[in-house]
Amino acid sequence: MDNKMKQLIENIQQSDGGHILYCFNELESYIENEATFIITGVQQGDHILVVENDRIFPFVYKKLQLHLNEEQLEQVHLMNNFDFYCFHGDFHPSTMVNYFLENIDAYTKRNQHVRTWGHVEWGHDEQVSFAIGEYEKGIDKLIKERGLISVCAYDDCRVPVELKTNLIKHHGVLNHDFSKRIESRGRVIWKVLLNGSFISYNESLPVK
């Protein structure tokens, strides 16, 4: 399992939850991170709502089977990400936020703690970028109110700069597969490390 992901979760647990933006380039690293997130949560007694596509999840599941028994695997709940994000036929922000809340409440009403991993994908509609930004804004508010640990994963090559900038505004922690940093007004606003390391993007560090 990825120790950096485990350390991230431990750090977040000391606060009131965390909303994590994960822009990935390396599929193998992505699968490893997703599996680690799920395994760590289950081993700590939580249920995990996984919103993933049917192509990737079988590879994740194989890793889960190496670490979790049958009873623990029942705490992992898979939803197809197309079905989830296009529940009413399109990516409508308020509809999706309400649907997310309905799914979370299904666990909290049974006094079960839940964490979420959502792989956000959409079709070829370029106008969906604004809708995604509005959805993430609403989700961020819910996550803070509920104290959840939630990952929103995006294929980096599909995320235009304008959307990424908007996504950063509504997430407290960022993960990226490559080393880079973004500077704004002489301050580092986004700095991430190699190999899936996590770091808060909202550091206020002087640029050297």
Side-chain angles (χ1 to χ4, degrees):
M1 291 192 297
D2 191 297
N3 290 326
K4 298 182 182 69
M5 172 66 81
K6 293 179 67 175
Q7 183 62 53
L8 169 70
I9 296 171
E10 290 175 3
N11 293 340
I12 288 177
Q13 286 177 316
Q14 298 175 13
S15 62
D16 295 324
H19 192 194
I20 304 162
L21 172 62
Y22 181 14
C23 295
F24 67 92
N25 297 82
E26 299 289 345
L27 184 57
E28 184 176 350
S29 296
Y30 173 81
I31 292 170
E32 184 68 28
N33 277 326
E34 183 173 351
T36 299
F37 178 87
I38 296 169
I39 292 165
T40 302
V42 169
Q43 290 179 339
Q44 294 177 353
D46 288 357
H47 287 255
I48 315 295
L49 175 60
V50 183
V51 183
E52 185 56 88
N53 66 46
D54 295 336
R55 179 177 60 87
I56 291 178
F57 190 73
F59 296 100
V60 175
Y61 193 75
K62 287 182 180 180
K63 292 183 179 292
L64 302 185
Q65 290 177 308
L66 298 175
H67 298 273
L68 303 177
N69 59 38
E70 290 187 11
E71 184 177 353
Q72 289 175 316
L73 286 170
E74 292 179 359
Q75 294 171 231
V76 183
H77 311 278
L78 174 66
M79 295 187 69
N80 176 271
N81 61 349
F82 180 81
D83 293 339
F84 185 89
Y85 293 115
C86 298
F87 179 60
H88 287 290
D90 60 359
F91 201 113
H92 193 277
S94 61
T95 300
M96 290 313 311
V97 171
N98 289 333
Y99 189 48
F100 178 88
L101 180 59
E102 289 175 10
N103 280 274
I104 295 303
D105 281 346
Y107 300 98
T108 56
K109 288 178 180 177
R110 297 193 294 264
N111 295 317
Q112 297 172 332
H113 294 287
V114 61
R115 305 178 189 187
T116 69
W117 181 289
H119 181 184
V120 185
E121 293 185 295
W122 59 96
H124 300 288
D125 185 359
E126 296 181 358
Q127 302 301 317
V128 79
S129 291
F130 175 78
I132 292 174
E134 289 299 300
Y135 163 75
E136 291 286 8
K137 180 179 179 180
I139 291 299
D140 190 52
K141 181 180 179 181
L142 279 178
I143 288 170
K144 291 175 179 176
E145 291 174 349
R146 301 297 183 96
L148 301 173
I149 298 176
S150 181
V151 173
C152 297
Y154 291 81
D155 185 338
D156 193 57
C157 69
R158 297 201 59 201
V159 181
V161 174
E162 183 177 356
L163 174 57
K164 184 175 291 184
T165 301
N166 200 11
L167 292 174
I168 290 173
K169 294 178 183 178
H170 304 303
H171 293 79
V173 182
L174 175 72
N175 177 47
H176 202 288
D177 288 335
F178 293 105
S179 176
K180 62 172 65 176
R181 77 186 204 170
I182 294 178
E183 301 173 6
S184 176
R185 298 177 183 176
R187 314 290 277 184
V188 176
I189 61 169
W190 177 11
K191 185 174 66 176
V192 291
L193 309 177
L194 287 168
N195 301 323
S197 298
F198 290 83
I199 187 168
S200 173
Y201 69 79
N202 57 2
E203 292 181 284
S204 183
L205 300 175
V207 176
K208 297 181 179 180

